[in-house]
Amino acid sequence: MTTPGEAEHLVSGIGLKSDRGENVAVRSTLGDAHYAGLLNKSLKKFFWNTVKTAVADPAQACFFFRTVRWQKRAAQVRLGYAEQGLHVPPILLYSVTNRCNLHCKGCYHRALRGGAGEELSGDEVRRLVAEATGLGISFIVLAGGEPLVRPETLEITAAYPDVLFLIFTNGLLIDDDTISTLKHRRNVVPLISMEGYQSDTDGRRGSGVNAQIEATVAKLKKAHVFWGTSVTVTTGNFSTVTSEAFVSKLRGLGCKMFFYVEYSPVTEGTEDLVISERQRDDMSVILAGFRSRFPALFIAVPGDERDFGGCLAAGRGFVHVSADGNVEPCPFVPYSDANVKNMSFKEALQSKFLATVRHSSGRFEGQGGCGLWKERAWLESLLPRKAGESVSPETMSSSALAFHRLPGGRAVRVKRTPPRSTPAGSPVSSGTPAQATATVSNEHR
């Protein structure tokens, strides 16, 4: 993902302390101004690249050209808020729903979000998007669950024709009516999840899923819909998904955006699936080669973030809103002290928790993969807890995490006491989700 940046003066005067005891307000101004310029330039380059990628489709290229102009205006809006002391990141990640039409092996979202609360209503979603665009958000990433489970997902995008919406989807709910909508709504780009070839995708998502995806993308190509793919990269599929043969096949099917997401081990015991530093370096070189040879966009997460000094979560480049409204650093670290059900998005962006995480990035940089996930015990320690509440973040695993509601809608992940042993094959008692034993994927579906 091309995920840009930091604005100025966010924490001036609030006196938050980083993990080293430094006053983060002292370090915010120069560093934030640097990222604001650097990352806004990157975002502008990204949009110009989309224009070049869509040059064969004049209508799509025209939209992306308008988006370049919108990005310039949005950057000025963010700068204006920065001068007022409010940090606004360029990108909003919003998990539309926790529901999904598939039950993929090891779905990370199901593992982390099993105890989430009631989803934002349609009106609450509309308010969130309106506030975000009004604050200068450059583009919005819609994930889930499966975002197309909610029919209003595409309806809401119609009100913001200059804003780019990327939708992470498994693709199975893209029917003829959806394709007709996408054909005329150039600001919406579906990113369809694939694991590699047929055996890879069907092996995790279910028999026949790959064939359905290929039938769908054939229709998208025929309708001249700009679409892309999202691939979770592991040690198991690295050689496949970074091969020229794989890219060439998808380019032949009309794919114009390749989104590579490194696997993050949100379930203990799956660390062997994390790609090595050597593979990260190799992927950087491989994707650079693809960019020079294929008329498509190639984005790596978190690999591309290294160009900007590391992790861009917690508002440094993007912020995440969960399906039930929690404003979080990242989809992979479900911790929050603010909820848009109880406050405006503008107020939520002033979260002291987000500011502390953002300005303590040195604590979790250079660890390889998702440093924030590895520092979840520290994240837990930053959040308030009820008196007498017992937590053991050092031993937390995704199967032992539960959502705990704090007053005012605040949420914190706490370690759940395991249920008494249950005979093999017996149903798990109500209210006690079964432990996830399969490999957890970073896909949002």
Side-chain angles (χ1 to χ4, degrees), residues 174-191:
I174 299 179
D175 55 19
D176 291 344
D177 288 340
T178 303
I179 292 174
S180 178
T181 298
L182 293 172
K183 181 178 180 178
H184 297 95
R185 199 160 299 163
R186 302 286 182 167
N187 62 323
V188 180
V189 176
L191 296 175

Side-chain angles (χ1 to χ4, degrees), residues 184-301:
H184 297 95
R185 199 160 299 163
R186 302 286 182 167
N187 62 323
V188 180
V189 176
L191 296 175
I192 300 175
S193 301
M194 300 181 186
E195 313 299 325
Y197 292 121
Q198 178 179 348
S199 59
D200 304 302
T201 298
D202 285 358
R204 192 175 86 83
R205 297 180 177 273
S207 178
V209 169
N210 188 78
Q212 293 182 65
I213 290 174
E214 292 198 357
T216 295
V217 300
K219 292 181 179 180
L220 290 172
K221 179 182 180 181
K222 184 177 181 179
H224 301 286
V225 173
F226 191 105
W227 71 275
T229 186
S230 171
V231 180
T232 296
V233 185
T234 71
T235 53
N237 70 355
F238 181 87
S239 60
T240 295
V241 299
T242 60
S243 69
E244 188 151 344
F246 177 72
V247 171
S248 295
K249 177 184 178 181
L250 291 187
R251 278 294 301 129
L253 294 172
C255 183
K256 296 179 180 178
M257 183 180 292
F258 293 77
F259 205 102
Y260 291 91
V261 184
E262 292 180 24
Y263 174 77
S264 187
V266 296
T267 290
E268 293 177 3
T270 63
E271 291 80 7
D272 60 322
L273 293 174
V274 179
I275 63 174
S276 66
E277 281 299 318
R278 172 64 182 273
Q279 287 175 313
R280 287 190 185 96
D281 292 340
D282 288 346
M283 185 161 66
S284 179
V285 174
I286 290 170
L287 296 190
F290 288 163
R291 292 182 186 112
S292 67
R293 297 196 300 277
F294 292 99
L297 296 167
F298 294 87
I299 303 164
V301 177

Side-chain angles (χ1 to χ4, degrees), residues 2 42-55 64 68 226 256 291 295-297:
T2 304
S42 173
L43 190 58
K44 182 179 180 180
K45 181 179 178 180
F46 168 77
F47 282 122
W48 273 117
N49 285 339
T50 62
V51 173
K52 292 187 290 185
T53 299
V55 69
F64 285 138
V68 171
F226 191 105
K256 296 179 180 178
R291 292 182 186 112
L297 296 167

